[in-house]
Amino acid sequence: MSKFITSDRILDFILYMQKQSLSTNTVSSYAINIKKLKLFLNNNEISREQMLSYKQWLIEQGFKKHTINAYLAAANYFCGMMGWEDMKVALISITPYNMDYEKQQISSYDYEKLVYTALQNNKERLAMMLQVLCHMDLRFCELCRLTVGTLETGYVEVIRKNRKIKIKIPDIICENLKKYTDKKGIVSGIIFCTKNGNVINRSNFSKELKRLCILADIDEEAGSIQHIKNVVLDSYPYFRLIN
C-alpha cells in the first residue's frame, strides 16, 4: 500500500478521530497539523527518514518545543491510524522550569479577555503585541526584528546561540499586522514602536499590560510577560482586526 498523505486519507483521519470521541478542537488541530506534514512531504511518500527530517525541520524553524510536539503528535496519531507504526518518531523531551510550570502559563480564557479588552479600548498595538508574543516564538527583545519588510517575506530572522533562525509569521497575524500598519501609517521599519519611532521599552509594556489587566478584571500576575510567553500555541485563538 502506498504511503502518500492524500486528501481522502486526511478526511478518513478526521472521521476516525470523531469516532474516537476526540474533542472538536483536537480534531481541528490535528487535521491542520497533518496538512502541515503533507506540505512538507511535497507529494512524496511518508517514510521514517522523512518523519525524522520533518522533526528536524520543525526544530530549525524555531518553533517552541510544545508546538513541535503538537505537530509530531498529530503525525504519530495519523500513522497509527494507517498502521504505519514504524513511522512514528519520539516527541521532544521537555523539562519544566519548575513544578508550578503550568501555573506560569496565562490561561486561554485570560488571554482572550486581555486581547478583547485591548481591542475594545482602542489599544490595537497592545492587542497585536499580545497576539504576536503568544503565537510566535519571538522573545520580547526580538520584537524589533518584526518590521514592515518581514510582512512581505512572511518570516522574521533572529540570531540565537550564533545561529540564524527563521520564525514564520502566522497568516492571520501577518494579515492583522498589514491592517495595523496601514491604519497607523507605518510604511517601513519596526512595527511596534513609539510615536518617535523608538523601540518599545519592556518596562513600559509591562505597565501597559498591568493597566490592561485591571480593565479586563484579571489578576495582574497572570498577565505578566513571563506568563504570556509560557503558552501552548494551539490552545490560543486568533483575533482578526477590523479595517
Side-chain angles (χ1 to χ4, degrees):
M1 182 176 66
S2 67
K3 292 183 173 63
F4 291 100
I5 297 179
T6 64
S7 297
D8 285 343
R9 282 176 172 170
I10 292 176
L11 179 57
D12 289 341
F13 183 45
I14 292 172
L15 295 174
Y16 174 78
M17 289 188 289
Q18 290 173 341
K19 288 180 180 178
Q20 297 300 311
S21 299
L22 271 64
S23 70
T24 302
N25 287 340
T26 299
V27 171
S28 176
S29 176
Y30 273 34
I32 291 171
N33 291 349
I34 204 64
K35 289 175 183 177
K36 189 176 200 68
L37 174 58
K38 183 177 186 292
L39 287 173
F40 173 81
L41 291 171
N42 193 28
N43 296 321
N44 292 311
E45 284 189 280
I46 192 171
S47 66
R48 174 72 177 174
E49 291 71 25
Q50 288 277 29
M51 283 289 284
L52 291 172
S53 295
Y54 178 55
K55 179 179 180 178
Q56 184 59 37
W57 178 79
L58 289 170
I59 294 171
E60 291 174 353
Q61 295 305 299
F63 289 112
K64 290 184 178 181
K65 291 181 179 179
H66 284 93
T67 304
I68 293 173
N69 282 346
Y71 290 136
L72 296 179
N76 285 343
Y77 199 61
F78 176 81
C79 288
M81 179 203 72
M82 295 299 300
W84 304 335
E85 296 292 337
D86 56 327
M87 302 295 174
K88 293 182 179 181
V89 294
L91 303 186
I92 295 176
S93 176
I94 298 176
T95 302
Y97 296 115
N98 54 53
M99 296 301 290
D100 295 325
Y101 179 74
E102 290 189 359
K103 294 180 181 178
Q104 293 180 13
Q105 297 179 354
I106 183 174
S107 70
S108 178
Y109 174 77
D110 284 345
Y111 159 78
E112 290 185 55
K113 208 171 180 183
L114 281 175
V115 177
Y116 180 78
T117 301
L119 292 173
Q120 290 299 303
N121 286 272
N122 298 315
K123 298 179 182 295
E124 289 184 333
R125 185 181 71 184
L126 189 54
M128 281 311 309
M129 289 180 75
L130 284 169
Q131 292 202 78
V132 165
L133 288 171
C134 280
H135 286 283
M136 292 180 63
D137 186 22
L138 273 183
R139 299 164 182 169
F140 187 86
C141 62
E142 294 169 340
L143 287 178
C144 60
R145 308 292 298 175
L146 186 63
T147 64
V148 174
T150 62
L151 301 183
E152 298 305 318
T153 62
Y155 62 83
V156 179
E157 286 191 354
V158 299
I159 304 295
R160 294 180 186 169
K161 297 181 180 180
N162 297 319
R163 289 179 56 204
K164 184 180 288 186
I165 297 175
K166 291 183 178 181
I167 298 176
K168 187 181 186 310
I169 306 173
D171 292 340
I172 297 178
I173 295 295
C174 194
E175 178 186 325
N176 278 345
L177 287 173
K178 286 179 178 179
K179 290 180 181 178
Y180 173 78
T181 53
D182 287 344
K183 185 174 181 179
K184 300 298 181 182
I186 304 172
V187 295
S188 63
I190 300 170
I191 293 175
F192 298 128
C193 57
T194 64
K195 292 181 180 179
N196 296 324
N198 298 320
V199 177
I200 293 175
N201 182 280
R202 183 186 180 97
S203 176
N204 289 337
F205 175 74
S206 293
K207 290 176 183 177
E208 279 192 73
L209 198 51
K210 285 185 178 181
R211 287 194 289 267
L212 182 62
C213 286
I214 294 172
L215 283 174
D217 192 27
I218 71 171
D219 181 64
E220 292 180 28
E221 181 62 25
S224 68
I225 294 179
Q226 177 63 28
H227 287 126
I228 285 171
K229 286 308 295 174
N230 287 342
V231 301
V232 182
L233 302 187
D234 293 333
S235 301
Y236 294 77
Y238 293 99
F239 285 78
R240 291 185 181 276
L241 292 189
I242 301 174
N243 287 321

